[in-house]
Every structure is written in C-alpha cells, then in structure tokens.
Amino acid sequence: MSLLELLARADERGLAASGVACLDRCLPPPEDGGDPEPLRPLWAACESGAEWATRLGAAHAALEGAAGSDDTAARVRTLLGAAPRDFDAGALRAWADACSLLALDVHREFDVPAGAGPGTSGHGRAGSPADSGPLAAGELRRQIQILEGLAETAGTAGAGTGLRRVLDLSTEGRRVLRAVVSRRARGRAARP
C-alpha cells in the first residue's frame, strides 16, 4: 500500500504519531545545552489524545527557544505551531500529510545526488520511489513502516508497543539524517 493510501486510512493515533515522528526526525541537533528530544512529551499523547493540546503547546514552547536557527528548524516550528489542537482524524490527516512532505523534502535535500532539491514529483508517496535517492527512499520506507505498524496494533493490547516501535524507527531515522548532515558539513569545512 502506498504512503498516501496509508495516510488516508490512518486513525487519530496513527496520524498524530506519524506527524510527530516526521518532525522529530527533521529536528537539527540541539544547540549548547538544549533538550535533545523536545518532542518527547508529545509521544505519550499520541496514544489516546489525552493532553494532546497541552503537550503540543509545551513542545512548541520548548522548540521556540531551543531547536536551532536554520531553515529546517523554522519549518519544523511552523508545522508544530500549525498542528491541530483537537485530536480529530480530519484535522490530523492534513497536518500529518504536511509533516510527511517536510520530512521527505529535508531528506531529499541531503540525498545523493545532491541538488535534487525539495518538492519534486511527489517523493514517491503514491507508489514507487523510483526517482528518489537512497536517503529519501529510506525515509519513505520508514514512514510506510510507521503507519503499517500503528495500523496493526490499533485497538489491541499491544498498542503501546506499536508506539514504542515508531519511536525506535524515528530515532534511527534521526541518527541517519544527522550523520549525513554532519558528514556534509565536515566535507564543506575541509574544502579550501
């Protein structure tokens, strides 16, 4: 099933967790003394929506002063600020879709070959990622795995395990992206 089909079928829990996971992967490393996981409080709210609006506000406030000053951090803050305060599938679906696009844009920006740039050909969200580089294709697979895993555990006794798996996948994706960004920055610094 394509990413767009999975987003269309996801429930509130899946949409909220998918959106938070996409934003979480895009956050740049914290500046000196900053919280390394400013979105962490939102994860617990993804399960049932309890305290969603409160935790969303707290995460947004934490990001306002801590999560870097580059364009990606600004885009993450903007999307977090635009997140619906109601834990409702309709509003969360549009937000999760925007978060998905942001994550794919960011991964495509740092992908090989460099310079593919954001916003090209839908990122393979409707089907095959044939035109994507390895970093963007990996992000697309990760987003699909997240939504499939959440759909499989929805309404079961293992629902918390599903969210834990999403957090693990997101952490892995964040490490991969940060490693690529770091490697590219070192390469630029080493050039005369």
Side-chain angles (χ1 to χ4, degrees), residues 64-111:
E64 280 302 316
S69 57
D70 67 2
D71 179 55
T72 301
R75 292 169 69 193
V76 169
R77 280 193 297 274
T78 298
L79 269 175
L80 192 61
R85 299 305 187 242
D86 294 328
F87 202 71
D88 170 71
L92 284 168
R93 191 170 326 285
W95 178 71
D97 185 61
C99 294
S100 168
L101 283 170
L102 171 65
L104 289 164
D105 280 350
V106 169
H107 283 76
R108 184 176 217 109
E109 179 182 335
F110 292 102
D111 216 333

Side-chain angles (χ1 to χ4, degrees), residues 55-70:
R55 290 176 184 250
L56 195 56
H60 191 261
L63 280 181
E64 280 302 316
S69 57
D70 67 2

Side-chain angles (χ1 to χ4, degrees), residues 152-167:
E152 289 171 7
T153 60
T156 67
T161 304
L163 277 177
R164 181 65 209 174
R165 175 76 177 130
V166 168
L167 182 58

Side-chain angles (χ1 to χ4, degrees), residues 80-187:
L80 192 61
R85 299 305 187 242
D86 294 328
F87 202 71
D88 170 71
L92 284 168
R93 191 170 326 285
W95 178 71
D97 185 61
C99 294
S100 168
L101 283 170
L102 171 65
L104 289 164
D105 280 350
V106 169
H107 283 76
R108 184 176 217 109
E109 179 182 335
F110 292 102
D111 216 333
V112 176
T120 56
S121 53
H123 307 292
R125 292 174 0 125
S128 171
D131 64 340
S132 296
L135 195 60
E139 172 61 15
L140 179 62
R141 276 190 308 274
R142 197 171 293 108
Q143 288 186 31
I144 289 170
Q145 288 174 331
I146 284 170
L147 286 166
E148 286 175 343
L150 289 168
E152 289 171 7
T153 60
T156 67
T161 304
L163 277 177
R164 181 65 209 174
R165 175 76 177 130
V166 168
L167 182 58
D168 291 344
L169 283 167
S170 189
T171 300
E172 171 196 346
R174 183 175 58 229
R175 286 184 192 136
V176 168
L177 183 60
R178 286 184 179 175
V180 169
V181 170
S182 176
R183 207 170 13 253
R184 184 155 302 163
R186 282 192 310 270

